[in-house]
Amino acid sequence: TTHRLMHPRPLSCPGRTSRSFIRPLVPGDVPLLFETATEHATELSWRYFGTSVSLEAFAQRLWEDVHFQQVVCRRSTGEPTALVQLLRPSYRHGTVQLAMLVLRPYRTAVIPFEGLLLFLEQTFYRFPFRKIYAETSEMSFGAFRSGANRIFEVEGLLKDHEWHCDRYWSTMI
């Protein structure tokens, strides 16, 4: 993904759309994010990949390997809908990894993904990255498949790479 693909020019009101806005993570967000990250539907696909983590460790690790992160909020209510993170930047190569945690009521809504576009726009405005990499397992790829070759490219496949639910799954990059 490059900035040219996202928006040809900055939005008239940076960090805001008609339905969403992004803001920094605050301590009050941690319990809700912890609940989402550790529920069964999410725990296998987000940063901890099924391992157990306490609330205290989760709060400490929210900044582990993180370069930049924002909370996507619903504009009408201000309630959080997702957390978007840039991880492990490589300034030498101009790359960084993306992680996104979407809260349960918003998993099929457009608001978190509008916020993701705002986040990506700010990322390319603030930092000299040329590529943002995201990884997803074959098990979760169906949620993103419609964007393949339109919004993003699958550049790599790690065959039978991750163990979940009694089998190995491939990882798409």
Side-chain angles (χ1 to χ4, degrees):
T1 301
T2 67
H3 188 258
R4 291 183 307 279
L5 295 176
M6 302 313 299
H7 295 289
R9 60 184 175 282
L11 296 174
S12 58
C13 182
R16 203 171 277 262
T17 70
S18 62
R19 292 179 281 213
S20 66
F21 66 93
I22 56 176
R23 64 163 173 78
L25 177 70
V26 295
D29 296 325
V30 173
L32 183 58
L33 294 171
F34 175 75
E35 181 182 321
T36 301
T38 57
E39 67 185 20
H40 181 68
T42 310
E43 70 178 352
L44 295 176
S45 60
W46 198 61
R47 291 183 67 187
Y48 303 112
F49 301 105
T51 60
S52 297
V53 62
S54 69
L55 176 60
E56 295 77 21
F58 178 82
Q60 283 184 322
R61 290 182 184 170
L62 269 175
W63 285 99
E64 188 175 282
D65 295 327
V66 172
H67 181 67
F68 178 55
Q69 65 184 344
Q70 296 278 284
V71 174
V72 177
C73 296
R74 183 180 190 150
R75 189 167 183 192
S76 63
T77 63
E79 70 182 326
T81 66
L83 174 68
V84 188
Q85 300 175 311
L86 294 181
L87 308 164
R88 296 177 281 286
S90 170
Y91 283 102
R92 177 179 180 198
H93 301 296
T95 62
V96 69
Q97 292 180 356
L98 175 73
M100 184 174 184
L101 177 65
V102 179
L103 280 65
R104 184 183 314 143
Y106 296 98
R107 291 202 178 122
T108 59
V110 72
I111 294 169
F113 297 97
E114 281 185 352
L116 173 62
L117 292 177
L118 291 170
F119 180 82
L120 293 173
E121 180 179 71
Q122 287 207 3
T123 295
F124 286 117
Y125 178 77
R126 293 176 182 210
F127 308 108
F129 298 122
R130 60 186 186 84
K131 284 190 176 188
I132 296 177
Y133 287 105
E135 292 182 10
T136 189
S137 73
E138 174 186 9
M139 179 173 63
S140 302
F141 187 67
F144 308 101
R145 186 178 310 279
S146 65
N149 301 318
R150 278 188 323 113
I151 298 171
F152 63 88
E153 287 179 43
V154 175
E155 289 193 1
L157 175 73
L158 303 174
K159 192 153 177 64
D160 298 331
H161 185 69
E162 298 178 10
W163 176 260
H164 299 296
C165 303
D166 207 26
R167 69 167 267 207
Y168 285 99
W169 298 83
S170 297
T171 298
M172 282 76 163
I173 301 171

